[in-house]
Amino acid sequence: MPERVVNTFLELVKINSTSRNEAEMRGHLLGELRRLGYRPAADKKGNVHLTLSGALANGPALLFNAHLDTVVPGNNIQPRVLADRIVSDGTTILGADDKAGVAALLEMLKLLQEKKILFHKIKIILTVEEEIGLRGAKALSFQDVQADYCFVLDSDGAVGSVVNKAPAQEVLDFRVRGRSAHAGLEPEAGINAIKIAALAVSKIKSGRIDSETTANVGVIRGGAATNIVPEEVLVKTEARSRDERSLQKQARGMIAAFQKAAQKLGGTVEIARRREYEKVDVPPDAPIIKISRLAARRLKLPHRVLASGGGSDASVIFGRGVPTIGLCIGMEKVHTKQEYITLRNLTLLPKYLLEIIRAANDYERTAVSR
Ligand SMILES: [Zn+2]
């Protein structure tokens, strides 16, 4: 007999919910939560909110977060349950990112009722459009995310480990302009924007820059025809780092490469730069880490504290001033058709969440009496 959370998971991954198309998934979850006797709400952006007041008069307020959307190809997912894991049929992603997190939260709520677990306050926020720029999370107010500790269920790796560091990200778009001319009749009158972009890109450091920093030239778009000297090229890049100085240095280097190339070849460059999200940086001795460790120990799970290279809703919620860590939820090879989750991790996750609730209460009590 498979555990209940496995069936919940299989049900959720069959609901189509690629980014911006979360309505059916949201409707399903609102229904499930109401069936459990709760009163969830959806905000204007489409995020689902649930706030529970428990029997404990005092104690920490805990926020749990996961996201409703998936990447593509994510429609008509046909999960296959193998001996030790769940996979897709190979034509789509599985959607364990992030439905393993959502399924575990539903199971946690059921266990809270059945086992009559004591707690003070628990909030759950399920966001939309995480995969296309954390847009659901960015629509949350400070009030929405107010909590003593926040756990974001959206990291790969074995259940029991946590993520305390994630990079900040800068996005830099370079619009390179040259001058168009007929390539056969009057090439001398033209300034080739593609040549400028190519020169700049060849000078840019990209890939893994240092242990904290990465950069990527991700999109290049421009030119109209072989017989026209191209007038305009758009180059989209990003840089991420867990170290602010290194991030700034990388961004400066990319900007300088484009400015120099434009100058050298007689064109111009227009730069649009934005901070996509802030870094997550929770000290390894912070209470939230200790709580996650205590919970892992009680289940005899290895507890590793990891640095991530990716952004998540944690980036936004931590940026709102809430102590926030990522929980490893057992999903693997995410954003690929080879994505999978082991049955062991999927069934462990709700148990780990319950232990986190217990450990948070215990930690606060001992901290107060100290
Ligand atoms: Zn995710």
Side-chain angles (χ1 to χ4, degrees):
M1 229 319 251
E3 292 216 24
R4 183 171 55 189
V5 64
V6 174
N7 289 329
T8 305
F9 175 75
L10 294 173
E11 195 177 0
L12 294 182
V13 297
K14 287 180 197 158
I15 301 173
N16 296 341
S17 66
T18 55
S19 304
R20 292 198 196 87
N21 302 298
E22 299 93 343
E24 190 186 344
M25 178 73 175
R26 175 173 50 249
H28 176 82
L29 287 165
L30 289 171
E32 286 293 296
L33 294 171
R34 286 187 192 119
R35 227 165 42 79
L36 289 170
Y38 298 121
R39 289 162 64 187
D43 65 23
K44 266 191 229 152
K45 182 72 184 163
N47 302 312
V48 173
H49 299 246
L50 179 67
T51 302
L52 308 180
S53 291
L56 286 181
N58 293 301
L62 307 179
L63 170 60
F64 294 94
N65 156 267
H67 62 87
L68 297 176
D69 60 321
T70 70
V71 293
V72 293
N75 284 339
N76 305 313
I77 291 170
Q78 305 289 330
R80 302 229 162 125
V81 184
L82 308 181
D84 70 330
R85 66 190 60 198
I86 305 174
V87 298
S88 76
D89 67 359
T91 65
T92 65
I93 56 154
L94 173 62
D97 177 7
D98 195 19
K99 286 169 182 174
V102 178
L105 288 172
L106 280 179
E107 182 65 20
M108 177 190 91
L109 290 172
K110 292 173 191 171
L111 293 173
L112 276 181
Q113 294 183 340
E114 291 163 6
K115 295 181 184 282
K116 302 191 167 52
I117 308 281
L118 291 176
F119 63 90
H120 174 57
K121 198 171 189 187
I122 291 177
K123 276 201 222 185
I124 292 179
I125 300 180
L126 306 173
T127 53
V128 296
E129 300 182 19
E130 191 274 347
E131 299 285 6
I132 53 171
L134 318 177
R135 291 185 193 168
K138 284 176 181 174
L140 298 172
S141 69
F142 281 83
Q143 181 68 29
D144 288 334
V145 299
Q146 211 173 58
D148 294 303
Y149 308 113
C150 174
F151 302 90
V152 174
L153 288 79
D154 193 18
S155 295
D156 56 2
V159 172
S161 290
V162 302
V163 171
N164 73 325
K165 284 174 190 273
Q169 188 188 97
E170 295 258 342
V171 171
L172 297 106
D173 294 345
F174 299 94
R175 195 169 290 279
V176 178
R177 289 205 180 84
R179 192 188 309 127
S180 63
H182 192 292
L185 300 180
E186 201 187 16
E188 301 82 359
I191 296 171
N192 190 319
I194 290 179
K195 298 275 280 188
I196 297 172
L199 176 61
V201 169
S202 74
K203 301 285 185 195
I204 281 179
K205 278 200 264 174
S206 66
R208 193 168 298 284
I209 307 299
D210 59 43
S211 63
E212 306 292 319
T213 311
T214 59
N216 188 43
V217 179
V219 174
I220 181 159
R221 202 182 291 147
T226 60
N227 62 357
I228 304 171
V229 176
E231 183 168 32
E232 193 174 294
V233 175
L234 177 67
V235 183
K236 290 168 163 284
T237 72
E238 64 154 55
R240 307 177 186 208
S241 184
R242 296 184 288 263
D243 179 82
E244 188 60 36
R245 280 176 59 188
S246 181
L247 180 59
Q248 293 306 324
K249 189 176 162 207
Q250 175 64 23
R252 280 199 305 274
M254 292 164 98
I255 290 167
F258 273 90
Q259 287 172 334
K260 275 187 199 159
Q263 201 173 27
K264 186 169 179 194
L265 299 178
T268 60
V269 59
E270 189 184 303
I271 302 158
R273 174 181 182 177
R274 67 174 190 276
R275 175 64 66 123
E276 193 63 27
Y277 48 78
E278 298 297 333
K279 70 174 176 175
V280 177
D281 193 359
V282 176
D285 59 349
I288 190 170
I289 303 280
K290 290 179 180 163
I291 288 165
S292 69
R293 183 182 302 122
L294 183 58
R297 270 196 199 139
R298 287 176 178 176
L299 290 175
K300 300 190 165 49
L301 298 173
H303 178 270
R304 294 197 298 151
V305 181
L306 307 165
S308 163
S312 74
D313 285 349
S315 312
V316 177
I317 299 170
F318 182 80
R320 301 261 194 278
V322 182
T324 303
I325 57 173
L327 300 183
C328 297
I329 64 170
M331 58 189 188
E332 298 295 344
K333 298 198 174 167
V334 298
H335 298 195
T336 76
K337 294 174 191 171
Q338 288 76 46
E339 184 185 3
Y340 70 90
I341 185 165
T342 63
L343 294 166
R344 177 184 145 78
N345 275 309
L346 183 56
T347 51
L348 268 174
L349 186 56
K351 294 173 184 138
Y352 184 47
L353 298 177
L354 279 196
E355 289 304 334
I356 284 178
I357 294 170
R358 290 190 177 114
N361 288 334
D362 296 346
Y363 181 83
E364 291 268 315
R365 258 200 305 279
T366 52
V368 167
S369 65
R370 226 180 269 143

